[in-house]
Amino acid sequence: NAGVTQTPKFQVLKTGQSMTLQCAQDMNHNSMYWYRQDPGMGLRLIYYSASEGTTDKGEVPNGYNVSRLNKREFSLRLESAAPSQTSVYFCASSDLDDYGYTFGSGTRLTVV
Amino acid sequence: AQTVTQSQPEMSVQEAETVTLSCTYDTSESDYYLFWYKQPPSRQMILVIRQEAYKQQNATENRFSVNFQKAAKSFSLKISDSQLGDAAMYFCAYRRPLYTGTASKLTFGTGTRLQVTL
């Protein structure tokens, strides 16, 4: 099925470990986004990529890095995980129109 | 910066009844888009309904409709004939138009958890 694919779906990390969350979309969308969802705080934008080759910080970028590998793929890296990064992470994409996003199914990350 | 406020953390409705979820937003712009997303326990984010600010007519999608009050900056979601499958977290979201030159970033409210009872 067409859409946004995120891997992994679940992950447990120890404090200080690193990992990369992968995201790929097959809809030929230009823009891609990474959000985190925390209880009582809604979804907050971490980083986004308006088009291939560009990335920009969102509302909560500290502790994260991103790579727009090509038009399809947008990865999120945690270099040194901290318990405060325990969250559900969503990748999303959108096209050059004014409709909403297509979301991935999310990654539940726990940092112990 | 735009902000979106959902003042009802939790709501409850009986099956077949009608419920209204509230959303207010703050913006200095005249043109924008508003959305309601549903997040069931599966965690998937599902677009429920979309409203363009330049349209005076309220959007409707089957049992879902909105009450868009531009002057009051209010965007409420009405769910009619509620069903058990409507139980979910609902998020209101705001987005600037693409012609403003910004990436189409969505700003979300904190969500309202809707419980549907028999």
Side-chain angles (χ1 to χ4, degrees), chain A residues 33 35 37 97 99 101 106, chain B residues 37 39 43 95 98 104 106:
Chain A
Y33 313 83
Y35 283 83
Q37 181 181 9
D97 56 33
Y99 283 81
Y101 293 176
Chain B
Y37 279 88
Q39 186 182 44
R43 205 167 67 199
R95 173 177 166 178
L98 291 175
S104 54
L106 275 174

Side-chain angles (χ1 to χ4, degrees), chain A residues 8 16 18 38 57 63 74-75 89 92-93 105:
Chain A
S18 63
D38 301 292
K57 295 179 180 179
F74 187 41
S75 62
Y89 292 85
S93 68
S105 57

Side-chain angles (χ1 to χ4, degrees), chain B residues 10-48:
Chain B
E10 294 185 358
M11 294 281 286
S12 183
V13 64
Q14 283 191 318
E15 199 176 17
E17 297 296 310
T18 296
V19 64
T20 298
L21 308 183
S22 300
C23 173
T24 59
Y25 57 94
D26 185 23
T27 183
S28 59
E29 298 171 342
S30 61
D31 197 9
Y32 47 86
Y33 294 80
L34 297 166
F35 304 84
W36 278 99
Y37 279 88
K38 172 185 178 181
Q39 186 182 44
S42 67
R43 205 167 67 199
Q44 186 67 43
M45 294 288 288
I46 302 165
L47 178 62
V48 174

Side-chain angles (χ1 to χ4, degrees), chain B residues 99-115:
Chain B
Y99 67 73
T100 58
T102 62
S104 54
K105 295 177 287 184
L106 275 174
T107 300
F108 288 88
T110 53
T112 297
R113 184 171 299 282
L114 178 66
Q115 183 181 20

